[in-house]
Amino acid sequence: MAAANTWLVIGLGNPGPRYERTRHNIGQMVIAELAGRLGQQLKRHRSAALVAEGFLAPGGPKLIVATLTSFMNVSGKQTAALASFYSIPPERIIVIHDEMDIPFDSIKLKIGGGHGGHNGLRDIAAALGTPEFIRVRTGVGRPVGRQDPADFVLAPFTAAERETLPILIADAADAAELVATEGLTAAQQKFHSRG
């Protein structure tokens, strides 16, 4: 049984070098940042996900951070397997994902709600049997002109975006940590108040 102050943080994305630096994989980039902050390497778990564990501070919350090795649209099975293995209830699961409805370099947080056409979120809600998990919605913006949204999220960030991408990744990692240490409302107040 997991300790009461344990959180499972999942970063969504697609496996393999083809997708590594694309907008759709921002969640995985944030997990790499969190694992580094915990001083841990991501290691293969029996669920096939890549997992690192550590405490944010002595006596503080424990984070189990994970990158899934399945494709984005079938994220549910590995998420549910990790939640079951670590005995983490849905309300202590934080899913970090790309969000086209939010401008690039912005972050919004919420618990529950719809999936907004995001197939990874849809699959996780189905596998957990509830949509009541926390989402760190990391803004990647919308395509300009007639570019297909699917092509847009599977494309790399622009040169201009890459300049501020490390800040966005750090902010999303900060948001996940703040949820674990001070709660969702505190994290929302901090990140939603930004211009």
Side-chain angles (χ1 to χ4, degrees):
M1 188 74 180
N5 207 6
T6 301
W7 296 79
L8 174 60
V9 188
I10 306 276
L12 297 189
N14 284 318
R18 151 78 180 86
Y19 299 103
E20 224 164 62
R21 304 304 296 168
T22 64
R23 293 180 179 92
H24 224 22
N25 277 38
I26 186 86
Q28 293 188 350
M29 297 173 204
V30 177
I31 292 298
E33 168 77 13
L34 285 167
R37 291 181 184 189
L38 294 170
Q40 301 293 325
Q41 296 279 334
L42 291 164
K43 296 187 176 122
R44 192 165 291 278
H45 183 266
R46 68 192 220 184
S47 66
L50 300 174
V51 175
E53 301 176 40
F55 291 89
L56 285 175
K62 180 179 185 181
L63 292 190
I64 300 156
V65 301
T67 294
L68 307 180
T69 55
S70 56
F71 278 88
M72 170 81 82
N73 293 352
V74 288
S75 299
K77 185 177 177 185
Q78 283 185 359
T79 300
L82 287 166
S84 173
F85 181 84
Y86 290 105
S87 301
I88 307 286
E91 64 273 13
R92 286 193 173 271
I93 297 172
I94 302 169
V95 176
I96 303 171
H97 64 90
D98 60 307
E99 179 64 73
M100 282 198 303
D101 290 330
I102 297 172
F104 176 75
D105 205 21
S106 298
I107 289 167
K108 301 283 184 195
L109 300 97
K110 71 175 186 175
I111 186 166
H115 50 73
H118 197 294
N119 291 326
L121 296 177
R122 177 190 282 129
D123 200 58
I124 290 171
L128 294 176
T130 177
E132 296 300 308
F133 52 90
I134 295 169
R135 300 101 186 269
V136 175
R137 304 160 69 212
T138 311
V140 295
R142 285 211 163 266
V144 186
R146 297 184 172 204
Q147 186 181 10
D148 183 287
D151 292 338
F152 175 74
V153 294
L154 293 175
F157 289 96
T158 65
E161 287 170 339
R162 283 196 299 274
E163 285 185 25
T164 53
L165 184 59
I167 298 165
L168 178 60
I169 290 168
D171 282 349
D174 289 347
E177 288 183 350
L178 198 55
V179 169
T181 54
E182 295 181 36
L184 177 61
T185 303
Q188 287 173 324
Q189 286 170 344
K190 176 175 181 180
F191 287 95
H192 293 191
S193 64
R194 294 184 174 184

